[in-house]
Amino acid sequence: MKQSIITGASRGIGLAIAEELASKGSDVVLVSRSGCDAQAAAIAQKFGVRAKGFACDVADSLQVQESFKAAIDFLGGVDVLVNNAGITRDGLLLRMKDEDFDQVLAADLRSVFLCTRAVSRTMVSNRKGSIINITSINALRGQPGQANYAAAKAGIIGLTKSNAAEFASRGIRVNAVAPGFIDTEMTAALGVEVCEKYRAQIPLGKVGKPENVAKLVQFLASDDSDYITGQVIGVDGGLNI
Ligand code: NDP
């Protein structure tokens, strides 16, 4: 029986991950700024696991410390953390405001540090854990208009590899998943024209679904991947070939 915490779980990829982990019998805590009470209740009812939502800004150190302590108490431990929460504030560098850069770095990168630290004591003392960080294809190849986002997501890769090396001897694995173009509110906000432009470039010929990412995360969370750590694995329909 697993005990999993998923950030950014109110919708999109994070919610699909929470559902996938619960479908395999994991108790789950769902975290987002707006809270995830309804989503947690639906998961508990559908999959017969324990589930609870927490309202927490994962860029805020104090909120993370308090919420994660309560989350670990609720679960009775934690052996899976999925750092999925993220935002975009796109714009050309010439016009990018300081706060657009700082907010994205805080929500997308600092959060991974804060949440990982918040579970590490429990995982280290249990000598067991799997941490999965959601980065992006744009960390690997850059993207005009997304200097802040690509920098934060590239930082996640550095954190992933450093933490994987640091925690390996304690039985904790750390991996990153790099989605390509996935159909969620984040990408819908780009508009139909941009979505179609992306779709046309994807070798497999279709936009990804949140479930495509969730299935890889479930594998990395499970003992089936117990010899895999420090890796960055794409889910992108071939977009990064
Ligand atoms: P959505 O915008 O649909 O969902 C983002 C989630 O993160 C929401 O649950 C949101 O909830 C939560 N969130 C945002 N900021 C915070 C915060 N400071 N504290 C806590 N929760 C927060 O995004 P997606 O599902 O599309 O993306 C999920 C992850 O996958 C992100 O990290 C994204 O960068 C990454 N990704 C997505 C791709 C795509 O094509 N969709 C491609 C590559 C990577 P709330 O607003 O309530 O806080």
Side-chain angles (χ1 to χ4, degrees), residues 146-159:
Q146 287 201 317
N148 48 2
Y149 181 77
K153 292 295 188 180
I156 288 180
I157 295 175
L159 260 182

Side-chain angles (χ1 to χ4, degrees), residues 30-195:
L30 290 75
V31 177
S32 80
R33 287 168 300 186
S34 55
C36 307
D37 289 348
Q39 295 88 332
I43 284 176
Q45 193 181 29
K46 184 167 178 191
F47 300 109
V49 298
R50 297 177 67 240
K52 191 169 167 62
F54 281 83
C56 167
D57 180 348
V58 290
D60 183 300
S61 185
L62 196 59
Q63 287 188 39
V64 169
Q65 285 172 50
E66 290 175 358
S67 296
F68 274 60
K69 185 180 178 312
I72 293 168
D73 283 351
F74 169 78
L75 291 167
V78 58
D79 52 15
V80 175
L81 167 66
V82 185
N83 284 307
N84 164 80
I87 59 167
T88 51
R89 295 282 182 272
D90 295 353
L92 295 176
L93 191 87
L94 202 63
R95 289 198 289 268
M96 189 174 283
K97 297 190 178 71
D98 291 2
E99 54 266 33
D100 293 334
F101 191 85
D102 293 345
Q103 283 173 10
V104 170
L105 265 287
D108 293 23
L109 178 59
R110 184 172 197 260
S111 62
V112 179
F113 157 66
L114 293 176
C115 297
T116 300
R117 190 178 60 181
V119 301
S120 59
R121 192 175 297 276
T122 305
M123 287 187 179
V124 165
S125 63
N126 293 338
R127 304 190 79 79
K128 187 171 167 50
S130 176
I131 298 171
I132 299 115
N133 299 325
I134 308 300
T135 175
S136 165
I137 188 174
N138 291 344
L140 302 169
R141 57 178 209 172
Q143 179 70 8
Q146 287 201 317
N148 48 2
Y149 181 77
K153 292 295 188 180
I156 288 180
I157 295 175
L159 260 182
T160 300
K161 289 178 184 282
S162 299
N163 292 345
E166 194 168 315
F167 287 139
S169 64
R170 312 299 171 96
I172 302 165
R173 297 182 296 108
V174 189
N175 290 288
V177 168
F181 198 82
I182 311 294
D183 184 15
T184 67
E185 280 185 30
M186 183 181 272
T187 44
L190 297 171
V192 177
E193 220 171 278
V194 176
C195 291

Side-chain angles (χ1 to χ4, degrees), residues 2-37:
K2 299 238 178 245
Q3 300 142 321
S4 308
I5 300 177
I6 305 101
T7 71
S10 62
R11 60 178 185 265
I13 294 170
L15 180 56
I17 292 169
E19 290 173 341
E20 183 66 28
L21 295 177
S23 78
K24 298 288 188 289
S26 179
D27 290 336
V28 286
V29 158
L30 290 75
V31 177
S32 80
R33 287 168 300 186
S34 55
C36 307
D37 289 348

